Amino acid sequence: MPSGKGSKLLRYIEHRLRVSLADGRVIIGTFLAFDKHLNLVLVDAEEFRTLKNKKGGAAAARAAIIEERQEKRSLGLIILRGENVVSVAVEGPPPPSAAGARVNAGGPGMARGAGRGVVPPPNNVGGPPPGVPMGGAPMGLGAAPVHGVGGMGMPPPPMGGVPPLGMMGRGMPPPGMGRGGGY
């Protein structure tokens, strides 16, 4: 197992992290991802800034009275540039059911796959499942994948010869522009 920075950060995915930035801000959020530049992706992130205000008036002439207050701001999903990150500390462990926490409850109706895979055997003996035409695939998905991209396309060129005019394949020069004899 490699012992680089990446493998060490991997064990903290889904943990709550406290990230200190170069400008003095502190970001707390749930760690989702990182890259080779150590850019960090945090979700449910909150920003904390410490603001310093000097009190004015006669008291300011004698002694500098500084009032500090902390400002909190909800950010949500953010990407922190790795160049600005000064330190990363673990705030807390991942939630106990991290996988189920992000999934929304389903609404009314029935979920059904919409891929072009194998159609499951019908529940009713007389025909296809409801919503699936007699051809097999649900409406709008077509019958099945075909050779080539985007439908029927052009037939392949005849073997060992020049394709007929109007049936040139990609990468071939137009008629009369090739090397050697004309068409």
Side-chain angles (χ1 to χ4, degrees):
M1 179 172 153
S3 62
K5 292 177 188 171
S7 64
K8 292 178 183 174
L9 278 177
L10 270 175
R11 53 178 110 145
Y12 299 115
I13 298 284
E14 292 289 331
H15 282 68
R16 289 290 285 177
L17 294 186
R18 174 185 297 267
V19 181
S20 300
L21 301 180
D23 62 359
R25 291 180 293 167
V26 174
I27 309 284
I28 298 177
T30 304
F31 183 40
L32 286 187
F34 65 97
D35 63 4
K36 66 181 181 180
H37 305 290
L38 296 181
N39 297 325
L40 306 178
V41 178
L42 301 177
V43 71
D44 300 331
E46 295 174 326
E47 172 192 64
F48 295 90
R49 293 189 310 164
T50 303
L51 302 173
K52 298 178 181 180
N53 294 334
K54 291 186 179 179
K55 290 286 186 180
R62 287 176 290 194
I65 300 174
I66 298 175
E67 178 185 306
E68 287 188 3
R69 64 183 176 99
Q70 198 165 33
E71 215 175 72
K72 176 184 169 183
R73 185 169 62 151
S74 286
L75 301 176
L77 177 68
I78 61 168
I79 299 174
L80 293 174
R81 188 174 171 92
E83 186 177 278
N84 299 324
V85 174
V86 173
S87 69
V88 176
V90 178
E91 274 287 299
S97 61
R102 298 251 181 248
V103 177
N104 293 336
M110 185 176 102
R112 192 176 324 152
R116 290 185 180 216
V118 177
V119 177
N123 295 339
N124 53 352
V125 180
V132 177
M134 291 303 285
M139 292 298 291
L141 290 181
V146 294
H147 180 71
V149 178
M152 291 302 293
M154 296 188 331
M159 295 298 282
V162 177
L165 222 112
M167 297 296 283
M168 289 187 302
R170 287 189 172 162
M172 295 183 68
M177 299 298 287
R179 294 182 183 191
Y183 291 70

